[in-house]
Amino acid sequence: MDAVIDVRGVSKRFGGLTAVNNCSLSVERGSITGLIGPNGAGKSTLFNMVAGNIVPDSGTIMFDGADVTGLKPHELFRRGMLRTFQIAHEFSNMTALENLMMVPGDQPGESLLNTWFRPGRVAANDAAVRQKALDVIDFLKLAHVKNELAGNLSGGQKKLLELGRTMMVDAHVVLLDEVAAGVNKTLLQDLAANIERMNTELGYTFFVIEHDMDLIGRLCDPVIVMAQGEKIAEGPMEEIRANPEIVEAYFGSPVEAA
């Protein structure tokens, strides 16, 4: 297996509470891997450690063959790992198109000297970034709201915009945090379809933490199950649903929630 994310024996404690206990798991390159479990299972803590928001107490996190344990989110961003959030973090007073154009780092126009002495270089870069943003808008079928203030978009449109941000920098891996939260059923289908297209057509790898079992079942293979800070199962959703111990202990019957 070609693991793009490899979590090795990671633990995290908060005072007397052990949130993650010597947990190991991996995300295969090119996969859409789901992470589920009951409330308090430790999945959010593990997810935040992978994303660089929390530093593990012990263990190692490998990304693309390199040890990235303890790196900050902006450092992981430069390496090609991006994260979306349960609550979208858009620039509400900028248009959808402008939100996308803000994403690429180290743009020439960020330098005052370049704006004075290299205006042609700044203009050429701005044109290229704008064209890429328009291409992303078209891919996600958001052209009808490209000039709308991002703060006025629906919850589902904001989630699509967050996906678009990851496309502006050609991310290797996208961490999706509760992507279905606040999204109506119609837009959720569009969101899922775009995740599938980004995976199959553009080669994106996704690591998904989600409570919507129907969405997990549609998108993810494999699905990793956590409980009490540890990984307890991994496999296709059909196998997870068919495991009576998991169903009874963590989901009830039938499977309803993570």
Side-chain angles (χ1 to χ4, degrees), residues 119-179:
R121 179 184 175 192
V122 172
N125 179 82
D126 286 350
V129 170
R130 179 181 176 83
Q131 185 57 56
K132 183 163 188 174
L134 289 170
D135 291 342
V136 169
I137 288 276
D138 287 341
F139 183 92
L140 297 175
K141 301 179 181 178
L142 287 174
H144 60 295
V145 295
K146 68 181 179 183
N147 295 319
E148 183 66 58
L149 293 180
N152 295 336
L153 301 182
S154 70
Q157 290 169 336
K158 289 178 180 179
K159 293 291 180 72
L160 285 170
L161 189 62
E162 288 222 326
L163 275 184
R165 288 178 177 175
T166 71
M167 297 175 67
M168 289 298 297
V169 290
D170 299 322
H172 298 161
V173 175
V174 178
L175 309 180
L176 296 178
D177 186 358
E178 300 284 1
V179 69

Coordinates of all heavy atoms in Angstrom, one line a residue, residues 119-179:
P119 N 5.2 45.9 -12.5 CA 3.7 45.8 -12.7 C 3.3 44.8 -13.7 O 2.2 44.2 -13.6 CB 3.3 47.2 -13.1 CG 4.6 47.8 -13.7 CD 5.7 47.2 -12.9
G120 N 4.1 44.5 -14.7 CA 3.8 43.5 -15.8 C 3.7 42.1 -15.2 O 2.8 41.3 -15.5
R121 N 4.7 41.9 -14.3 CA 4.7 40.5 -13.7 C 3.5 40.4 -12.8 O 2.9 39.3 -12.8 CB 6.0 40.4 -12.9 CG 6.2 39.1 -12.1 CD 7.4 39.1 -11.3 NE 7.5 37.9 -10.5 CZ 8.4 37.7 -9.5 NH1 9.2 38.7 -9.2 NH2 8.4 36.6 -8.8
V122 N 3.2 41.4 -12.0 CA 2.0 41.3 -11.2 C 0.7 41.1 -12.0 O -0.1 40.3 -11.6 CB 1.9 42.6 -10.3 CG1 0.6 42.6 -9.5 CG2 3.1 42.8 -9.4
A123 N 0.6 41.9 -13.1 CA -0.6 41.7 -13.9 C -0.7 40.3 -14.5 O -1.8 39.8 -14.6 CB -0.6 42.8 -15.0
A124 N 0.4 39.8 -15.0 CA 0.4 38.5 -15.6 C 0.0 37.4 -14.6 O -0.8 36.5 -14.9 CB 1.8 38.2 -16.2
N125 N 0.5 37.5 -13.4 CA 0.2 36.6 -12.3 C -1.3 36.7 -11.9 O -2.0 35.7 -11.8 CB 1.1 36.8 -11.1 CG 0.8 35.8 -10.0 OD1 1.2 34.6 -10.0 ND2 0.0 36.3 -9.0
D126 N -1.7 37.9 -11.8 CA -3.1 38.1 -11.4 C -4.1 37.5 -12.5 O -5.1 36.9 -12.1 CB -3.5 39.6 -11.3 CG -2.9 40.2 -10.0 OD1 -2.4 39.4 -9.1 OD2 -2.9 41.4 -9.8
A127 N -3.7 37.6 -13.7 CA -4.5 37.1 -14.8 C -4.5 35.6 -14.8 O -5.6 34.9 -15.0 CB -4.0 37.6 -16.2
A128 N -3.4 35.0 -14.5 CA -3.3 33.5 -14.4 C -4.1 33.0 -13.2 O -4.8 31.9 -13.4 CB -1.8 33.1 -14.3
V129 N -4.0 33.6 -12.1 CA -4.7 33.2 -10.9 C -6.2 33.3 -11.1 O -7.0 32.5 -10.8 CB -4.3 34.0 -9.6 CG1 -5.2 33.7 -8.5 CG2 -2.8 33.6 -9.3
R130 N -6.6 34.5 -11.7 CA -8.0 34.7 -12.0 C -8.6 33.6 -13.0 O -9.7 33.1 -12.7 CB -8.2 36.0 -12.6 CG -9.7 36.3 -13.0 CD -9.9 37.7 -13.6 NE -11.2 37.9 -14.1 CZ -12.2 38.4 -13.3 NH1 -12.0 38.6 -12.0 NH2 -13.4 38.5 -13.7
Q131 N -7.8 33.2 -14.0 CA -8.2 32.2 -14.9 C -8.4 30.9 -14.2 O -9.3 30.1 -14.4 CB -7.3 32.1 -16.1 CG -7.8 31.1 -17.2 CD -9.2 31.5 -17.7 OE1 -9.4 32.6 -18.2 NE2 -10.1 30.5 -17.6
K132 N -7.4 30.5 -13.3 CA -7.5 29.3 -12.6 C -8.7 29.3 -11.7 O -9.5 28.3 -11.6 CB -6.3 29.0 -11.8 CG -6.3 27.7 -11.1 CD -4.9 27.3 -10.6 CE -5.0 25.8 -10.1 NZ -3.7 25.3 -9.7
A133 N -9.0 30.4 -11.1 CA -10.2 30.5 -10.2 C -11.5 30.3 -11.0 O -12.4 29.7 -10.6 CB -10.2 31.9 -9.5
L134 N -11.5 30.9 -12.2 CA -12.7 30.7 -13.1 C -12.8 29.3 -13.5 O -14.0 28.8 -13.6 CB -12.6 31.6 -14.3 CG -12.7 33.1 -14.1 CD1 -12.3 33.9 -15.3 CD2 -14.2 33.5 -13.7
D135 N -11.7 28.6 -13.8 CA -11.8 27.2 -14.1 C -12.3 26.4 -13.0 O -13.1 25.4 -13.2 CB -10.4 26.7 -14.5 CG -9.9 27.3 -15.8 OD1 -10.7 27.8 -16.6 OD2 -8.7 27.2 -16.1
V136 N -11.9 26.7 -11.7 CA -12.4 26.0 -10.6 C -13.9 26.2 -10.4 O -14.7 25.3 -10.1 CB -11.6 26.4 -9.3 CG1 -12.2 25.9 -8.0 CG2 -10.1 25.9 -9.4
I137 N -14.3 27.5 -10.5 CA -15.7 27.9 -10.4 C -16.5 27.1 -11.4 O -17.6 26.5 -11.0 CB -15.9 29.4 -10.7 CG1 -15.3 30.2 -9.5 CG2 -17.3 29.7 -11.0 CD1 -16.3 30.4 -8.4
D138 N -16.0 26.9 -12.6 CA -16.8 26.2 -13.6 C -16.8 24.7 -13.3 O -17.9 24.0 -13.4 CB -16.1 26.3 -15.0 CG -16.4 27.7 -15.6 OD1 -17.3 28.4 -15.1 OD2 -15.6 28.1 -16.5
F139 N -15.7 24.1 -12.8 CA -15.7 22.7 -12.4 C -16.7 22.4 -11.3 O -17.4 21.4 -11.3 CB -14.2 22.4 -11.9 CG -14.1 20.9 -11.5 CD1 -13.6 20.0 -12.4 CD2 -14.3 20.5 -10.2 CE1 -13.4 18.7 -12.1 CE2 -14.2 19.1 -9.9 CZ -13.7 18.2 -10.8
L140 N -16.8 23.3 -10.4 CA -17.7 23.1 -9.2 C -19.2 23.6 -9.5 O -20.0 23.5 -8.7 CB -17.2 23.9 -8.0 CG -15.9 23.4 -7.5 CD1 -15.4 24.2 -6.3 CD2 -16.0 21.9 -7.0
K141 N -19.4 24.2 -10.7 CA -20.7 24.6 -11.2 C -21.2 25.8 -10.3 O -22.4 25.8 -9.8 CB -21.7 23.5 -11.2 CG -21.3 22.4 -12.2 CD -22.3 21.2 -12.2 CE -21.8 20.1 -13.2 NZ -22.7 19.0 -13.2
L142 N -20.3 26.7 -10.0 CA -20.6 27.8 -9.1 C -20.6 29.2 -9.9 O -20.6 30.2 -9.3 CB -19.7 27.9 -7.9 CG -19.8 26.9 -6.8 CD1 -18.7 27.1 -5.8 CD2 -21.2 27.1 -6.1
A143 N -20.6 29.1 -11.2 CA -20.5 30.3 -12.1 C -21.6 31.3 -11.8 O -21.3 32.5 -11.8 CB -20.5 29.9 -13.5
H144 N -22.7 30.8 -11.4 CA -23.9 31.7 -11.2 C -23.7 32.6 -9.9 O -24.4 33.5 -9.7 CB -25.2 30.9 -11.1 CG -25.2 29.9 -10.0 ND1 -24.4 28.8 -10.0 CD2 -26.0 29.8 -8.9 CE1 -24.7 28.1 -9.0 NE2 -25.6 28.7 -8.3
V145 N -22.8 32.2 -9.0 CA -22.5 33.0 -7.8 C -21.1 33.5 -7.7 O -20.7 33.9 -6.6 CB -22.9 32.1 -6.5 CG1 -24.3 31.8 -6.5 CG2 -22.0 30.9 -6.5
K146 N -20.4 33.5 -8.8 CA -19.0 33.9 -8.7 C -18.8 35.3 -8.3 O -17.7 35.6 -7.6 CB -18.3 33.6 -10.1 CG -18.7 34.6 -11.2 CD -18.0 34.3 -12.5 CE -18.5 35.2 -13.6 NZ -17.8 34.8 -14.9
N147 N -19.7 36.2 -8.6 CA -19.6 37.6 -8.2 C -20.4 37.9 -6.9 O -20.5 39.1 -6.5 CB -20.0 38.5 -9.3 CG -19.0 38.4 -10.5 OD1 -17.8 38.3 -10.3 ND2 -19.6 38.3 -11.7
E148 N -21.0 36.9 -6.3 CA -21.8 37.1 -5.1 C -20.8 37.1 -3.9 O -19.8 36.4 -3.8 CB -22.7 35.9 -4.9 CG -23.7 36.1 -3.7 CD -24.6 37.2 -3.8 OE1 -25.4 37.3 -4.8 OE2 -24.6 38.1 -2.9
L149 N -21.1 38.0 -2.9 CA -20.3 38.0 -1.7 C -20.4 36.6 -1.0 O -21.5 36.1 -0.9 CB -20.8 39.1 -0.7 CG -20.6 40.5 -1.1 CD1 -21.2 41.5 0.0 CD2 -19.1 40.8 -1.4
A150 N -19.3 36.1 -0.6 CA -19.2 34.7 0.0 C -20.1 34.6 1.2 O -20.7 33.5 1.5 CB -17.8 34.3 0.3
G151 N -20.2 35.7 2.0 CA -21.1 35.6 3.1 C -22.5 35.4 2.8 O -23.3 35.0 3.7
N152 N -23.0 35.7 1.6 CA -24.4 35.5 1.2 C -24.6 34.1 0.6 O -25.8 33.8 0.3 CB -24.7 36.6 0.2 CG -24.7 38.0 0.7 OD1 -24.8 38.2 1.9 ND2 -24.5 38.9 -0.2
L153 N -23.6 33.3 0.5 CA -23.8 32.0 -0.1 C -24.5 31.0 0.9 O -24.4 31.3 2.1 CB -22.5 31.4 -0.5 CG -21.7 32.1 -1.5 CD1 -20.4 31.4 -1.9 CD2 -22.5 32.4 -2.8
S154 N -25.2 30.0 0.4 CA -25.8 29.0 1.3 C -24.7 28.2 1.9 O -23.5 28.2 1.5 CB -26.7 28.1 0.5 OG -26.0 27.3 -0.4
G155 N -25.1 27.4 2.9 CA -24.1 26.5 3.6 C -23.4 25.6 2.6 O -22.2 25.3 2.7
G156 N -24.2 25.0 1.7 CA -23.7 24.0 0.8 C -22.7 24.7 -0.2 O -21.7 24.2 -0.6
Q157 N -23.1 25.9 -0.7 CA -22.2 26.7 -1.6 C -20.9 27.1 -0.9 O -19.9 27.0 -1.6 CB -23.0 27.9 -2.1 CG -24.1 27.6 -3.0 CD -25.0 28.8 -3.3 OE1 -25.1 29.7 -2.5 NE2 -25.7 28.8 -4.4
K158 N -21.0 27.4 0.4 CA -19.7 27.7 1.1 C -18.8 26.5 1.2 O -17.6 26.6 1.1 CB -20.1 28.2 2.5 CG -20.7 29.6 2.5 CD -21.0 30.1 3.9 CE -21.6 31.5 3.9 NZ -22.0 31.9 5.3
K159 N -19.4 25.3 1.4 CA -18.6 24.1 1.4 C -18.0 23.8 0.0 O -16.9 23.3 -0.1 CB -19.5 22.9 1.9 CG -20.0 23.0 3.3 CD -18.8 22.8 4.3 CE -19.3 22.9 5.7 NZ -20.0 21.7 6.2
L160 N -18.8 24.0 -1.0 CA -18.2 23.9 -2.4 C -17.0 24.9 -2.6 O -16.0 24.5 -3.2 CB -19.3 24.1 -3.4 CG -20.3 23.0 -3.6 CD1 -21.4 23.4 -4.5 CD2 -19.6 21.8 -4.2
L161 N -17.2 26.1 -2.1 CA -16.1 27.1 -2.2 C -14.9 26.6 -1.4 O -13.8 26.8 -1.9 CB -16.6 28.4 -1.6 CG -15.7 29.6 -1.9 CD1 -15.6 29.9 -3.4 CD2 -16.3 30.9 -1.2
E162 N -15.1 26.0 -0.3 CA -13.9 25.5 0.4 C -13.2 24.4 -0.4 O -12.0 24.3 -0.4 CB -14.3 24.9 1.8 CG -14.7 26.0 2.8 CD -14.1 25.7 4.2 OE1 -14.1 24.6 4.6 OE2 -13.8 26.7 4.9
L163 N -14.0 23.5 -1.0 CA -13.4 22.5 -1.9 C -12.6 23.2 -3.0 O -11.5 22.8 -3.4 CB -14.4 21.7 -2.6 CG -14.9 20.4 -1.8 CD1 -15.9 19.7 -2.7 CD2 -13.8 19.5 -1.4
G164 N -13.2 24.3 -3.6 CA -12.5 25.1 -4.6 C -11.2 25.7 -4.1 O -10.2 25.7 -4.9
R165 N -11.1 26.1 -2.9 CA -9.8 26.6 -2.4 C -8.7 25.5 -2.5 O -7.6 25.8 -2.8 CB -10.0 27.0 -0.9 CG -10.8 28.3 -0.7 CD -10.9 28.5 0.8 NE -11.6 29.8 1.1 CZ -11.9 30.2 2.3 NH1 -11.6 29.4 3.3 NH2 -12.6 31.3 2.5
T166 N -9.1 24.3 -2.2 CA -8.0 23.2 -2.2 C -7.5 23.0 -3.7 O -6.4 22.7 -3.9 CB -8.6 21.9 -1.7 OG1 -9.5 21.3 -2.6 CG2 -9.2 22.1 -0.3
M167 N -8.4 23.3 -4.6 CA -8.0 23.1 -6.0 C -7.1 24.3 -6.5 O -6.4 24.1 -7.5 CB -9.3 23.1 -6.9 CG -10.2 21.9 -6.6 SD -11.7 21.8 -7.5 CE -11.1 21.6 -9.2
M168 N -7.1 25.4 -5.8 CA -6.3 26.5 -6.3 C -4.8 26.3 -6.1 O -4.0 27.0 -6.6 CB -6.7 27.8 -5.5 CG -8.1 28.3 -6.0 SD -8.2 28.8 -7.7 CE -7.0 30.1 -7.8
V169 N -4.5 25.3 -5.2 CA -3.0 25.0 -5.0 C -2.7 23.6 -5.3 O -1.6 23.1 -4.9 CB -2.7 25.4 -3.5 CG1 -2.7 26.9 -3.3 CG2 -3.6 24.7 -2.5
D170 N -3.6 22.9 -6.0 CA -3.3 21.5 -6.4 C -2.8 20.6 -5.2 O -1.7 20.1 -5.2 CB -2.2 21.5 -7.5 CG -2.7 22.2 -8.7 OD1 -3.9 22.1 -9.0 OD2 -1.9 22.9 -9.3
A171 N -3.7 20.6 -4.1 CA -3.4 19.9 -2.9 C -3.2 18.4 -3.2 O -3.8 17.8 -4.1 CB -4.5 20.0 -1.9
H172 N -2.3 17.7 -2.5 CA -2.1 16.3 -2.6 C -3.2 15.6 -1.8 O -3.7 14.5 -2.2 CB -0.7 15.9 -2.0 CG 0.4 16.4 -2.8 ND1 1.7 16.5 -2.2 CD2 0.5 17.0 -4.0 CE1 2.5 17.1 -3.1 NE2 1.8 17.4 -4.2
V173 N -3.5 16.1 -0.6 CA -4.4 15.5 0.3 C -5.3 16.6 0.9 O -4.9 17.6 1.3 CB -3.7 14.8 1.5 CG1 -4.7 14.2 2.5 CG2 -2.8 13.6 1.0
V174 N -6.6 16.2 1.0 CA -7.6 17.2 1.5 C -8.3 16.5 2.7 O -8.8 15.3 2.6 CB -8.7 17.6 0.5 CG1 -9.7 18.5 1.2 CG2 -8.0 18.3 -0.7
L175 N -8.2 17.1 3.9 CA -8.9 16.6 5.1 C -10.3 17.3 5.2 O -10.4 18.5 5.3 CB -8.1 17.0 6.3 CG -6.6 16.6 6.3 CD1 -5.9 17.0 7.6 CD2 -6.4 15.1 6.0
L176 N -11.3 16.5 5.1 CA -12.7 17.0 5.1 C -13.3 16.8 6.5 O -13.5 15.7 6.9 CB -13.5 16.3 4.1 CG -13.1 16.5 2.6 CD1 -14.1 15.7 1.7 CD2 -13.2 17.9 2.2
D177 N -13.6 17.9 7.1 CA -14.2 17.9 8.5 C -15.7 18.1 8.5 O -16.1 19.3 8.2 CB -13.4 18.9 9.4 CG -13.9 18.8 10.8 OD1 -14.7 18.0 11.2 OD2 -13.3 19.6 11.6
E178 N -16.5 17.1 8.7 CA -17.9 17.2 8.7 C -18.5 18.0 7.5 O -19.2 19.0 7.6 CB -18.4 17.9 10.0 CG -18.0 17.2 11.3 CD -18.8 16.0 11.6 OE1 -19.7 15.7 10.8 OE2 -18.6 15.3 12.6
V179 N -18.1 17.5 6.3 CA -18.5 18.3 5.1 C -20.0 18.4 4.9 O -20.5 19.3 4.3 CB -17.8 17.6 3.9 CG1 -18.4 16.2 3.6 CG2 -17.9 18.5 2.7

